[in-house]
Amino acid sequence: MWTRIKKIIPQKAKRFGLDNELKILNLKNDWDKIVVEALGDKFKKKSETTNLKSDILYVRCQNAIWAGEFQLRREKLFEAIKNHKINIKQIKFIF
């Protein structure tokens, strides 16, 4: 019987202590989709995830103005991230 690689990778990542890196990678890959879902098309490509440390997600924005716009809409973005089964406690926007 074959096991799907989609199932194996998270198990092995956790075993080798790489589960946080896998979470970051998945979040980076889905970031624009999450942002558009939560905030709309005008926010697409204006930010990127940089790190996930101690359940704090760090998001780099194009500039201070975009960081402020994301900050104002933080709760909507937070909910969209939770809908993707990624557990975080806080989002910090940097530029």
Side-chain angles (χ1 to χ4, degrees), residues 3-17:
T3 304
R4 294 181 184 261
I5 196 159
K6 186 178 180 179
K7 192 173 182 179
I8 294 172
I9 289 177
Q11 292 171 348
K12 295 297 180 184
K14 188 171 186 171
R15 180 176 169 205
F16 291 110

Side-chain angles (χ1 to χ4, degrees), residues 25-57:
L25 181 61
N26 289 336
L27 192 57
K28 280 181 183 265
N29 289 339
D30 293 341
W31 184 248
D32 279 336
K33 182 175 140 185
I34 292 169
V35 167
V36 168
E37 259 178 37
L39 308 176
D41 282 329
K42 85 176 191 179
F43 286 85
K44 188 175 184 179
K45 303 287 184 202
K46 304 297 182 194
S47 65
E48 64 182 2
T49 59
T50 59
N51 199 2
L52 179 62
K53 188 174 184 180
S54 302
D55 293 331
I56 299 172
L57 176 64

